């Protein structure tokens, strides 16, 4: 029965192609969250021991199956994808602002940066690093942006709560939050596995 749960989880995560919350897995499989976590731990150990081509990562109180970074080059060749260029400093700046101030509008991003951010925001949206999260209850009903599970995966984070403390450049929208600052030049940020976020110049 234990193996059935373990491999049922594997099948669900493989088919989902996106994060699945542990609570949802527990409900579907009629087991406790602790049992889900234990089963996933066993799967991860199996993958590591057998040097499998994929791994399970924790993200947003759930799990997702991803290919291992060391096999990315081979996967890229098979899929015929072009190697993406790293995000520009400008795009990384906009992404950092969104990550720490979300939900946030394009106008608020531009007020912080001091320049037009249409290209940056569009590029981040195309890369799946940010998404729309409704509209602000203000004149014009501007779109609110938040980071996505893809952003978390790229930076090796389980949730936005794991973002490092902000301690560099003071951010201002209307009234600056006391003591809240942000590192804007984050072009060298990498995930825990050493792979950088990919994107394109603004």
């Amino acid at each position: 029965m234990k193996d059935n749960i373990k491999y049922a989880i594997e099948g669900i995560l493989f088919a989902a192609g996106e994060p699945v919350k542990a609570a949802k897995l527990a409900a579907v499989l009629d087991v406790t969250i602790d049992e889900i976590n234990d089963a996933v731990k066993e799967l991860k150990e199996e993958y590591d021991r057998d040097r499998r081509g994929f791994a399970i990562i924790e993200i947003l109180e759930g799990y997702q199956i991803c290919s291992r970074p060391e096999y990315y080059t081979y996967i890229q060749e098979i899929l015929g994808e072009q190697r993406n260029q790293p995000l520009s400093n400008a795009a990384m700046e906009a992404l950092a602002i969104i990550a720490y101030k979300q939900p946030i509008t394009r106008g608020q991003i531009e007020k912080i940066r001091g320049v037009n951010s249409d290209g940056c925001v569009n590029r981040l949206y195309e890369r799946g690093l940010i998404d729309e999260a409704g509209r602000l209850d203000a004149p014009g009903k501007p779109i609110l942006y938040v980071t996505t599970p893809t952003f978390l995966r790229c930076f090796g984070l389980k949730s936005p709560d794991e973002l490092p403390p902000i301690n560099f450049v003071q951010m201002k929208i209307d009234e600056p939050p006391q003591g809240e600052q942000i590192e804007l030049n984050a072009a060298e940020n990498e995930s825990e596995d050493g792979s950088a976020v990919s994107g394109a110049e603004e």
Side-chain angles (χ1 to χ4, degrees):
M1 179 62 181
K2 189 174 181 180
D3 281 345
N4 288 344
I5 293 173
K6 181 169 60 177
Y7 296 127
I9 293 171
E10 181 180 53
I12 291 169
L13 295 182
F14 180 82
E18 60 185 21
V20 180
K21 292 190 179 296
K24 186 171 184 179
L25 290 169
V28 169
L29 297 175
D30 195 24
V31 296
T32 66
I33 292 179
D34 285 342
E35 288 177 291
I36 293 295
N37 294 336
D38 288 343
V40 170
K41 182 180 178 181
E42 287 189 17
L43 279 173
K44 292 169 74 173
E45 289 173 351
E46 283 184 19
Y47 296 166
D48 290 339
R49 184 181 63 247
D50 299 338
R51 301 179 65 83
R52 303 283 287 275
F54 43 83
I56 297 178
I57 61 171
E58 297 179 42
I59 184 169
L60 295 176
E61 299 181 354
Y63 300 101
Q64 182 174 7
I65 283 184
C66 300
S67 57
R68 289 188 183 276
E70 56 263 40
Y71 302 128
Y72 177 69
T73 300
Y74 308 117
I75 295 169
Q76 192 178 49
E77 287 187 17
I78 291 295
L79 296 180
E81 297 177 353
Q82 293 183 340
R83 183 179 296 276
N84 292 323
Q85 296 297 317
L87 285 173
S88 66
N89 285 353
M92 285 298 297
E93 179 179 290
L95 181 58
I97 291 169
I98 295 168
Y100 282 99
K101 298 294 293 185
Q102 60 186 310
I104 185 171
T105 67
R106 192 181 306 233
Q108 290 170 331
I109 296 168
E110 292 176 351
K111 188 167 185 178
I112 295 169
R113 297 188 65 228
V115 295
N116 183 286
S117 297
D118 287 353
C120 291
V121 172
N122 291 340
R123 195 68 68 188
L124 294 172
Y125 184 82
E126 289 171 1
R127 296 295 177 188
L129 295 171
I130 63 171
D131 201 359
E132 298 177 2
R135 292 179 178 271
L136 183 66
D137 186 13
K141 299 289 184 181
I143 296 171
L144 290 164
Y145 292 97
V146 296
T147 54
T148 65
T150 298
F151 164 81
L152 295 176
R153 187 173 67 249
C154 288
F155 284 89
L157 303 172
K158 296 178 184 178
S159 76
D161 295 335
E162 290 192 345
L163 284 165
I166 38 183
N167 53 12
F168 285 89
V169 180
Q170 183 74 31
M171 291 194 301
K172 297 179 181 179
I173 293 180
D174 294 313
E175 291 298 325
Q178 192 66 29
E180 187 168 327
Q181 301 172 317
I182 184 169
E183 179 180 7
L184 297 181
N185 186 10
E188 298 303 323
N189 277 350
E190 295 183 343
S191 66
E192 288 179 349
D193 58 29
S195 57
V197 176
S198 294
E201 296 290 320
E202 180 187 3

